[in-house]
Amino acid sequence: MGPILFVIYINDLPEILDSDCYMFADDTEVFRQIQTTDDSDALQTDLSHLETWSNTWLLRFHPDKCKVLKTGKQHDNNHKYNLCNTTLEHVDKEKDIGVTINNLQTKF
């Protein structure tokens, strides 16, 4: 019954975000298309909402496990994203549920 209660406990998390969100077990991914600095600011606002949610429900995120991965056409934006007073690391690839995703662009 533990996993079911956990899912019920975190079920409202996507509702506080303007960005897209995927959740699988205890992993959460928040993402959005970044084309302008306003998009970057909106993503940072969502990260701040996650931090507030985390403090309210006493369920802590581990910012050292959180990464920023840019994919597709790269917008020239090196925005520093923060979660729980920690600047998130930018990476070129990340393994997610056994699949490695990288930021290489395909050229046709």
Side-chain angles (χ1 to χ4, degrees):
M1 184 140 178
I4 293 171
L5 290 176
F6 179 76
V7 169
I8 293 169
Y9 192 69
I10 66 167
N11 197 43
D12 69 327
L13 190 141
E15 295 172 14
I16 66 167
L17 304 174
D18 288 327
S19 300
D20 293 313
C21 175
Y22 289 145
M23 296 188 316
F24 180 77
D26 64 345
D27 287 337
T28 302
E29 295 181 13
V30 177
F31 58 95
R32 76 180 302 128
Q33 186 174 12
I34 305 294
Q35 294 181 326
T36 67
T37 54
D38 288 342
D39 294 330
S40 296
D41 292 341
L43 182 56
Q44 180 58 60
T45 298
D46 280 338
L47 292 173
S48 296
H49 289 156
L50 287 175
E51 187 172 345
T52 300
W53 181 93
S54 170
N55 292 331
T56 300
W57 292 102
L58 304 177
L59 189 63
R60 302 287 181 233
F61 288 102
H62 296 278
D64 53 316
K65 293 182 179 181
C66 299
K67 310 287 187 243
V68 176
L69 175 66
K70 298 177 185 180
T71 60
K73 291 183 179 180
Q74 302 290 320
H75 173 58
D76 239 0
N77 184 344
N78 293 318
H79 190 91
K80 304 263 189 253
Y81 296 100
N82 298 293
L83 179 64
C84 302
N85 298 318
T86 302
T87 300
L88 302 181
E89 176 186 3
H90 285 257
V91 295
D92 293 328
K93 63 182 177 180
E94 184 66 20
K95 191 170 185 178
D96 184 32
I97 311 175
V99 176
T100 300
I101 301 170
N102 63 36
N103 65 356
L104 298 177
Q105 296 181 38
T106 303
K107 295 183 180 182
F108 295 98

